[in-house]
Amino acid sequence: MAETLILPESKEKKEVYETIIPQIEALISGETDYVANMANVAAALREAFGFFWVGFYSVKNGELVLGPFQGPIACTRIRKGKGVCGTSWDKAETIVVEDVDAFPGHIACSSASRSEIVVPGFNQQGEVAFILDIDSDELGSFDEADKEGLEKLMRRVEKLLQ
Ligand code: SME
C-alpha cells in the first residue's frame, strides 16, 4: 500500500486527477471493508485538493446515511429526491451546483458551503449504492474537469466502496 500521496507540481485539475486516481485505486484495492476504503478516498481527495467537505452517503433502507468524511460535522440522513445528494441519487447522475443558494431544496449542513458536486456510485445491478459529496466554501469551484475526474475515479473504485 502506498503510504504517501504523490501530487503533481501542477495544480491543473485534470493532471491532479490523473495522478491521484491510480494511487487511490492502489491504496484501497487490498482492503475489502467499504468503510475503511471510503475513509481513505475521502482523505486522499481532501489532501489532493484541500476541499472544505468531502465524504460519502450510503443507500441504506431507502435513505442516504452519512459515511466517512473529512470536514465539519454533517447531517446524517437524507431522503431520496431531497437536497443535492438526494437528487443525484434519484436521477442517478452527477450534479454540479455553482451556487448552492440557487439550488432549490439544497440542504445546508454548513452555512459556509457555497458550491457542491455530488457523484453517484453504482452496484452491479446499476442502482445507486452510495454518493460522493464534495463541498466548497467558494462559489463555482466545480466544473467539467471535476465531473470527469470524479466519475472516472468512481468507475475505478466503486466496487470497493460498498
Ligand atoms: N448539501 C447537501 C447535504 C450534505 S452536506 O453538504 C455534507 C445536499 O443538499 O444534499
Side-chain angles (χ1 to χ4, degrees), residues 53 57 74-75 78 82-86 105-109 116 133 135:
W53 195 95
Y57 285 86
C75 34
I78 299 173
K82 299 294 176 190
V84 186
C85 295
H106 168 259
I107 300 164
C109 289
E116 180 163 359
D133 179 18
D135 288 28

Side-chain angles (χ1 to χ4, degrees), residues 50-65:
F51 293 132
F52 173 70
W53 195 95
V54 49
F56 292 91
Y57 285 86
S58 292
V59 175
K60 290 184 181 174
N61 300 320
E63 279 184 309
L64 288 172
V65 183

Side-chain angles (χ1 to χ4, degrees), residues 4 7 17 27 40 49-50 74 78 81 90 93 97 106 109 116 121 149 152 158 160:
T4 309
L7 300 173
Y17 282 113
L27 174 69
N40 260 338
F49 292 99
I78 299 173
D90 194 27
E93 64 188 32
V97 180
H106 168 259
C109 289
E116 180 163 359
K152 188 172 177 190
E158 62 197 339
L160 297 161

Side-chain angles (χ1 to χ4, degrees), residues 9-148:
E9 282 186 20
S10 160
K11 293 272 177 283
E12 207 242 320
K13 285 178 182 180
K14 196 173 186 313
E15 201 174 327
V16 177
Y17 282 113
E18 275 170 14
T19 308
I20 64 168
I21 286 171
Q23 294 182 71
I24 292 176
E25 196 175 8
L27 174 69
I28 68 170
S29 59
E31 175 56 60
T32 55
D33 186 280
Y34 80 98
V35 173
N37 288 337
M38 282 182 169
N40 260 338
V41 173
L45 289 171
R46 171 77 174 67
E47 189 177 330
F49 292 99
F51 293 132
F52 173 70
W53 195 95
V54 49
F56 292 91
Y57 285 86
S58 292
V59 175
K60 290 184 181 174
N61 300 320
E63 279 184 309
L64 288 172
V65 183
L66 182 64
F69 67 94
Q70 297 263 318
I73 57 171
C75 34
T76 53
R77 288 174 189 268
I78 299 173
R79 292 202 307 273
K80 198 170 194 176
K82 299 294 176 190
V84 186
C85 295
T87 304
S88 172
W89 173 23
D90 194 27
K91 293 188 168 171
E93 64 188 32
T94 298
I95 299 185
V96 177
V97 180
E98 288 192 10
D99 176 358
V100 295
D101 291 335
F103 187 94
H106 168 259
I107 300 164
C109 289
S110 165
S111 58
S113 178
R114 301 257 70 91
S115 58
E116 180 163 359
I117 184 169
V118 178
V119 183
F122 299 91
N123 62 21
Q124 285 186 327
Q125 290 72 47
E127 301 154 342
V128 176
F130 64 87
I131 60 95
L132 167 65
D133 179 18
I134 304 180
D135 288 28
S136 167
D137 56 4
E138 291 173 14
L139 286 170
S141 288
F142 305 104
D143 56 21
E144 197 57 29
D146 297 289
K147 180 177 187 290
E148 273 179 28

